[in-house]
């Protein structure tokens, strides 16, 4: 008999690439919260491929995790009411694992003298004392948790319009543990299932549990030491954890323990770090693993268990007042650290502890009482019920372009597009300079635009755009001109741009009208995060400009013959050398203390500009601050250093323009005086610039707008004496450099 069951997030005949799939829907024929769904899994030959699983129905809604086998999976969803089957419906799914994608590796670090147990409250042990506390239990819980992460991520990506995609978990042929039926039942239970590496540390339990390295100990002297221990143990283990393999690892510390005497969780650190040229690790202690499910049958119970964990285990962050809350914190915080390993920063959702109370909403149609917030459980309506246990859209987009999350149908983006940030500038329509426009663009396309934190209706992930424009009149009609107008732009590659005050951009127009002519010079730049987000108009800076032709001491124009890009731990600046022998810095001439300014830069590179060759493109590297600079010439050569792990912003002229100079601002509060803004100045390609251009104060580097005069002669004023430079060009940065 057919049941009135409707699937909301999946279609019959669909092909999926994750072993664990989250299925949601409605059972219209259900009229009791005591009802449940039974799910039978078979192959095309009608052989059972996974034990029958039961999932609760609440308010006619259901969520269920399903474990698939490679090939065709014939699933039967049966509605059960008062112990009787009232009807069923079928769903066919094809599971094709993407073995060409790199996996997420799962590893447990074990002390060399470990007792091979984890923390567990007495009432959780039941009749078998080690059921939730021995090494096998830890392995099973970790395996089940990893598949829950996989299913959550795939469903979240799908709901964001990015396709049902997730990381695959490294698997091996081994005894399956994802169902209770495999625990004691006879038969062959070998499957291709998640591999858990046991990594032996050279540290003792006492060393791992040293309070001085416990992350939650405010007096700890080395609160990141556990991360180093785990990294060393992985590298010593070798195999897939060699730096050359560039693995992404979820690491669990087995020997974490709560000390009642010290009221401190020992042997635990929640840390994660992405290292694209080595081991990327997200790690977590095992102190909450007692609350995790060992297999599918325990998932609903663990996420609904309101029992109090008790005094013998740690109350992490004061939010583990019940077993299900401990489970949410443990599984969610661990995924947060894995997010860091995949390169996600602190944003929103999972990367901002959004899992604490909302984790169960991803897997259940009804939640339990929350002791931390003193709120009753509620029925979950996807897209309506608040749920912060999701990935931020920017994180999801950055995952999408990584090889771990790739789908066979994905078009590959080139390196420049992957690294390119959205651009924001004020421009004008040709011959209509009075009509200023805010121009927003992104080579990877724009998927979201927010003014003052409110998302615009367009563009979207489904309908991205390459370029958007707003006139001053449009913006003034919508927003208060007397209040700062913030702007955030998100690209399809996960890169974002934040502008602290759009009105400020209009006051710093991106063009220069050449007096006595119709020629307009355009300006395009890249700013540090500090300057992007700032609403302060009084940031202390040295403003500079350097043209690629300058007047020498004899008053005659002389062309640039070389650019020295000065990159260190920050973008120090650059120096432009001219044919007549003089040189001009892209940065301060003297320090705030009136001494000659000297540029640092252990990754300095000189780029020679032959006669007849133009600068056609500039790449500016950045993290929170600017930290790289690379020049591209029309003859195909390039020079300058960009850090591998930092995104870059590409500055290029329009098709009918050429680069004629550079401009920017340097921090002028002391210290390095690093570049906070670097930009290009462009002119019409086939127009000879009037000589007055080279006399304009705004196109020179004199006093930086400080109104002061340095105590140095012109020859010293750039602080770049020849002996400071390594005349040998550096190799094109293939090696990461320590800052």
């Amino acid at each position: 008999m057919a049941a009135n069951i409707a699937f909301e997030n999946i279609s019959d005949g669909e092909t999926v690439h994750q072993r664990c799939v989250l299925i949601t829907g409605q059972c219209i024929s259900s009229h009791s919260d005591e009802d449940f769904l039974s799910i039978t899994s078979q192959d095309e030959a009608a052989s059972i491929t996974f034990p029958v699983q039961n999932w609760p129905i609440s308010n006619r809604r259901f969520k269920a995790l399903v474990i698939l086998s490679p090939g065709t999976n014939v699933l039967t969803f049966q509605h059960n009411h008062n112990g009787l089957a009232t009807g069923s419906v079928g769903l066919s799914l094809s599971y094709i694992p993407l073995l060409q994608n790199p996996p997420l590796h799962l590893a447990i670090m074990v002390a060399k003298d470990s007792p091979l147990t984890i923390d567990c409250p007495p009432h959780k042990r039941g009749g078998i004392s080690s059921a939730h506390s021995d090494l096998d239990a830890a392995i099973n819980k970790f395996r089940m948790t990893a598949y829950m992460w996989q299913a959550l991520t795939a469903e979240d990506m799908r709901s964001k319009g990015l396709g049902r995609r997730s990381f695959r978990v490294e698997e091996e042929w081994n005894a399956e543990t994802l169902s209770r039926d495999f625990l004691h039942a006879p038969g062959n239970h070998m499957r291709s299932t998640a591999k858990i590496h046991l990594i032996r540390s050279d540290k003792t339990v006492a060393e791992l549990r040293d309070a001085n390295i416990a992350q939650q100990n405010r007096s700890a002297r080395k609160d990141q030491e556990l991360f180093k221990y785990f990294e060393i143990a992985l590298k010593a283990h070798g195999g897939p954890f060699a730096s050359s393999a560039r693995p992404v690892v979820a690491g669990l510390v087995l020997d974490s323990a709560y000390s009642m005497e010290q009221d401190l969780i020992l042997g635990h650190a929640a840390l994660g770090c992405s290292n694209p040229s080595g081991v990327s690790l997200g790690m977590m202690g095992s102190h909450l693993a007692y609350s995790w499910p060992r297999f599918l049958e325990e998932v609903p119970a663990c996420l609904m268990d309101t029992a109090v964990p008790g005094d013998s285990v740690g109350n992490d962050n004061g939010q583990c007042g019940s077993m299900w809350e401990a489970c949410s914190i443990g599984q969610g915080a661990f995924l947060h650290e894995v997010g860091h390993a995949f390169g996600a920063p602190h944003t929103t959702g999972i990367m901002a502890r959004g899992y604490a109370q909302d984790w169960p909403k991803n897997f259940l149609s009804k939640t339990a009482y929350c002791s931390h917030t003193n709120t009753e459980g509620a029925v979950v309506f996807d897209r309506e019920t608040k749920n912060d246990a999701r990935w931020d859209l920017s994180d999801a987009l950055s995952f999408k372009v990584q090889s771990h999350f790739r789908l066979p149908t994905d078009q590959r983006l080139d390196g420049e597009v992957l690294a390119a940030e959205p651009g924001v500038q004020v421009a004008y329509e040709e011959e209509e300079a009075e009509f200023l426009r805010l121009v927003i663009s992104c080579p990877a396309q724009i998927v979201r635009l927010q003014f003052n934190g409110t998302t615009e209706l367009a563009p979207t992930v489904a309908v991205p755009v390459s370029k958007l424009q707003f006139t001053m009149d449009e913006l003034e009609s919508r927003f208060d001109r007397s209040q700062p107008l913030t702007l955030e732009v998100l690209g399809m590659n996960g890169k974002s741009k934040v502008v602290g005050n759009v009105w400020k951009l209009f006051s710093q127009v991106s063009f220069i009208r050449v007096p006595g002519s119709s020629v307009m010079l355009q300006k395009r730049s890249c700013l540090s995060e500090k300057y992007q987000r700032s609403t302060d108009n009084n940031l202390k800076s040295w403003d500079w400009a350097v043209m690629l032709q300058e007047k020498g001491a004899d008053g005659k124009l002389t062309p640039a013959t070389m650019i020295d890009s000065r990159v260190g731990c920050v973008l120090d600046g650059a120096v432009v050398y001219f044919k007549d022998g003089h040189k001009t810095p892209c940065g301060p001439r003297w320090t705030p203390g009136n001494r000659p300014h000297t540029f640092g830069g252990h990754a300095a590179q000189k780029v020679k500009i032959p006669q007849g060759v133009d600068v056609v493109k500039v790449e500016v590297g950045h993290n929170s601050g600017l930290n790289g600079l690379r020049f591209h010439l029309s003859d195909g050569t390039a020079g300058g250093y960009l850090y591998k792990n930092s995104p870059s912003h590409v500055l290029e002229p329009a098709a009918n323009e050429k680069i004629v100079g550079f401009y920017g601002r340097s921090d002028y509060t002391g210290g390095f005086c690093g570049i906070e803004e670097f930009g290009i100045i462009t002119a019409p390609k086939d127009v000879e610039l009037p000589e007055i251009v080279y006399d304009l104060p705004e196109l020179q580097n004199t006093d930086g707008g400080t109104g002061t005069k340095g105590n140095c002669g012109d020859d010293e004023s750039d602080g770049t004496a020849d002996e400071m430079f390594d005349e040998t060009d550096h190799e094109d940065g293939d090696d990461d450099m320590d800052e």
Side-chain angles (χ1 to χ4, degrees):
M1 179 173 62
N4 198 352
I5 296 174
F7 302 109
E8 296 179 334
N9 69 334
I10 204 159
S11 302
D12 188 44
E14 190 171 327
T15 296
V16 299
H17 302 291
Q18 296 78 44
R19 187 180 184 216
C20 188
V21 177
L22 178 65
I23 297 176
T24 66
Q26 297 187 52
C27 184
I28 307 303
S29 54
S30 173
H31 297 283
S32 168
D33 281 1
E34 299 298 318
D35 291 2
F36 63 92
L37 284 180
S38 295
I39 304 174
T40 303
S41 303
Q42 298 174 294
D43 59 20
E44 289 184 289
S47 297
I48 297 295
T49 56
F50 201 83
V52 174
Q53 298 295 308
N54 299 322
W55 289 86
I57 300 172
S58 297
N59 199 38
R60 301 182 179 179
R61 310 189 72 83
F62 69 87
K63 293 189 176 187
L65 290 173
V66 176
I67 300 295
L68 302 178
S69 298
T72 300
N73 292 258
V74 181
L75 308 176
T76 302
F77 288 71
Q78 179 177 280
H79 175 212
N80 296 276
H81 176 69
N82 287 338
L84 299 174
T86 63
S88 63
V89 66
L91 177 67
S92 178
L93 299 177
S94 293
Y95 167 44
I96 302 177
L98 299 178
L99 301 181
Q100 67 271 37
N101 290 357
L104 172 68
H105 300 276
L106 310 179
I108 298 178
M109 184 174 73
V110 182
K112 64 181 181 181
D113 59 347
S114 173
L116 303 181
T117 59
I118 60 175
D119 272 4
C120 189
H123 66 81
K124 184 77 174 178
R125 292 176 180 147
I128 306 174
S129 63
S130 63
H132 286 275
S133 61
D134 65 8
L135 179 60
D136 284 341
I139 290 172
N140 297 347
K141 289 166 179 286
F142 193 7
R143 179 177 288 125
M144 186 67 250
T145 293
Y147 280 119
M148 291 171 69
W149 294 343
Q150 183 188 68
L152 177 155
T153 298
E155 173 57 19
D156 191 25
M157 297 289 252
R158 182 207 66 82
S159 70
K160 287 177 165 64
L162 301 176
R164 193 186 304 276
R165 68 176 75 226
S166 189
F167 52 83
R168 76 177 181 91
V169 177
E170 182 192 11
E171 295 180 337
E172 66 176 348
W173 189 254
N174 205 341
E176 184 61 277
T177 65
L178 292 177
S179 171
R180 179 186 283 116
D181 285 12
F182 296 138
L183 200 57
H184 301 296
N188 181 6
H189 305 312
M190 301 298 288
R191 299 283 196 284
S192 183
T193 193
K195 178 179 178 64
I196 311 294
H197 294 266
L198 296 181
I199 308 298
R200 180 72 68 176
S201 173
D202 63 356
K203 305 299 181 185
T204 64
V205 170
E207 288 175 305
L208 294 182
R209 293 180 183 174
D210 182 352
N212 286 314
I213 65 171
Q215 187 188 43
Q216 296 184 3
N217 180 7
R218 294 181 179 178
S219 302
R221 293 193 298 268
K222 299 180 179 179
D223 61 358
Q224 297 192 5
E225 199 73 1
L226 270 173
F227 189 88
K228 296 177 184 177
Y229 290 171
F230 212 132
E231 264 192 324
I232 291 169
L234 287 170
K235 291 176 181 178
H237 188 84
F241 304 115
S243 294
S244 58
R246 300 179 180 176
V248 179
V249 184
L252 185 72
V253 182
L254 185 74
D255 297 289
S256 306
Y258 173 65
S259 167
M260 285 190 285
E261 293 79 11
Q262 300 177 72
D263 189 23
L264 186 64
I265 299 168
L266 304 173
H268 158 64
L271 293 169
C273 180
S274 173
N275 180 6
S277 60
V279 177
S280 297
L281 170 64
M283 67 173 287
M284 181 80 177
S286 64
H287 56 291
L288 297 176
Y290 65 82
S291 62
W292 302 356
R294 293 170 295 174
F295 22 73
L296 274 180
E297 289 88 347
E298 289 185 345
V299 172
C302 285
L303 293 179
M304 292 287 287
D305 189 351
T306 56
V308 177
D311 298 329
S312 64
V313 291
N315 186 350
D316 198 327
N317 207 43
Q319 294 179 297
C320 301
S322 68
M323 297 293 284
W324 80 257
E325 289 167 277
C327 182
S328 296
I329 295 291
Q331 291 185 315
F334 200 173
L335 183 57
H336 172 107
E337 302 310 331
V338 174
H340 283 316
F342 278 120
H346 286 129
T347 48
T348 66
I350 289 170
M351 299 311 295
R353 294 189 63 86
Y355 47 79
Q357 283 81 49
D358 291 346
W359 185 257
K361 296 175 182 176
N362 293 297
F363 307 102
L364 300 175
S365 53
K366 186 178 181 179
T367 60
Y369 168 78
C370 177
S371 65
H372 182 70
T373 59
N374 191 27
T375 54
E376 294 296 330
V379 175
V380 178
F381 295 90
D382 288 338
R383 296 179 299 277
E384 297 178 22
T385 302
K386 180 179 179 291
N387 182 1
D388 284 334
R390 303 277 178 87
W391 296 108
D392 183 272
L393 179 58
S394 64
D395 297 329
L397 289 167
S398 71
F399 295 161
K400 176 181 178 291
V401 297
Q402 295 183 35
S403 56
H404 292 75
F405 297 82
R406 183 175 293 131
L407 294 179
T409 55
D410 286 350
Q411 291 186 344
R412 302 203 179 200
L413 303 177
D414 64 43
E416 285 190 9
V417 174
L418 284 175
E421 277 194 342
V424 180
Q425 64 175 336
V426 172
Y428 71 98
E429 294 293 330
E430 193 170 351
E431 298 181 356
E432 295 183 7
E434 65 273 20
F435 296 114
L436 297 180
R437 292 177 179 272
L438 181 70
V439 180
I440 306 163
S441 60
C442 182
Q445 296 195 299
I446 303 164
V447 299
R448 189 178 69 194
L449 196 69
Q450 293 180 317
F451 285 112
N452 289 339
T454 301
T455 302
E456 298 284 287
L457 295 178
T460 63
V461 169
V463 188
V465 298
S466 297
K467 187 176 181 180
L468 289 165
Q469 298 188 67
F470 297 89
T471 65
M472 175 74 95
D473 286 345
E474 287 178 288
L475 294 174
E476 285 185 333
S477 69
R478 295 177 55 191
F479 305 105
D480 186 348
R481 186 70 172 81
S482 65
Q483 298 297 319
L485 176 59
T486 62
L487 168 66
E488 182 172 355
V489 188
L490 179 62
M492 185 65 88
N493 57 359
K495 306 297 182 185
S496 61
K497 169 82 78 175
V498 177
V499 177
N501 190 355
V502 171
W503 307 127
K504 189 176 176 181
L505 289 182
F506 279 98
S507 68
Q508 299 170 343
V509 292
S510 57
F511 65 87
I512 299 171
R513 187 193 294 273
V514 178
S517 78
S518 61
V519 176
M520 287 281 189
L521 304 182
Q522 297 290 326
K523 298 165 68 179
R524 299 173 178 84
S525 72
C526 175
L527 290 103
S528 68
E529 186 175 312
K530 170 185 172 183
Y531 273 63
Q532 286 179 34
R533 295 178 181 272
S534 174
T535 59
D536 182 4
N537 291 319
N538 299 308
L539 290 173
K540 193 174 182 181
S541 65
W542 177 290
D543 300 345
W544 53 266
V546 181
M547 300 296 283
L548 289 172
Q549 287 193 97
E550 281 192 352
K551 288 186 177 181
D554 60 2
K556 295 180 180 180
L557 284 178
T558 181
T561 57
M562 185 169 66
I563 305 172
D564 187 17
S565 171
R566 306 296 295 185
V567 174
C569 59
V570 299
L571 174 53
D572 292 80
V575 182
V576 181
Y577 289 77
F578 292 87
K579 189 175 181 178
D580 68 350
H582 86 273
K583 54 196 176 185
T584 304
C586 298
R589 288 182 173 273
W590 53 82
T591 69
N594 262 3
R595 294 178 176 273
H597 176 67
T598 57
F599 289 104
H602 58 259
Q605 289 189 23
K606 292 181 178 179
V607 187
K608 292 183 179 179
I609 308 175
Q611 186 173 354
V613 173
D614 296 323
V615 179
V616 294
K617 182 171 67 176
V618 179
E619 289 182 271
V620 184
H622 61 91
N623 272 324
S624 56
L626 305 188
N627 67 354
L629 188 61
R630 187 168 177 81
F631 298 92
H632 296 256
L633 306 184
S634 58
D635 63 0
T637 61
Y641 190 80
L642 296 172
Y643 284 100
K644 269 186 180 180
N645 301 341
S646 296
S648 63
H649 186 94
V650 178
L651 299 171
E652 291 183 285
N656 62 340
E657 297 174 347
K658 62 181 178 182
I659 296 175
V660 296
F662 311 117
Y663 76 99
R665 285 178 284 176
S666 300
D667 175 66
Y668 205 56
T669 57
F672 289 114
C673 292
I675 299 285
E676 299 287 355
E677 178 182 19
F678 190 96
I680 58 173
I681 301 169
T682 65
K685 186 177 288 185
D686 300 321
V687 173
E688 185 175 344
L689 294 181
E691 194 163 319
I692 192 174
V693 166
Y694 305 100
D695 295 322
L696 295 176
E698 62 264 43
L699 295 179
Q700 298 181 34
N701 188 359
T702 52
D703 66 358
T706 65
T708 62
K709 183 173 178 59
N711 295 322
C712 54
D714 289 343
D715 189 50
E716 296 180 301
S717 62
D718 57 19
T720 54
D722 290 342
E723 61 267 21
M724 287 178 57
F725 296 132
D726 176 1
E727 294 293 342
T728 303
D729 287 345
H730 295 258
E731 290 297 320
D732 219 20
D734 285 333
D735 297 321
D736 283 335
M737 306 185 69
D738 294 330
E739 293 192 25

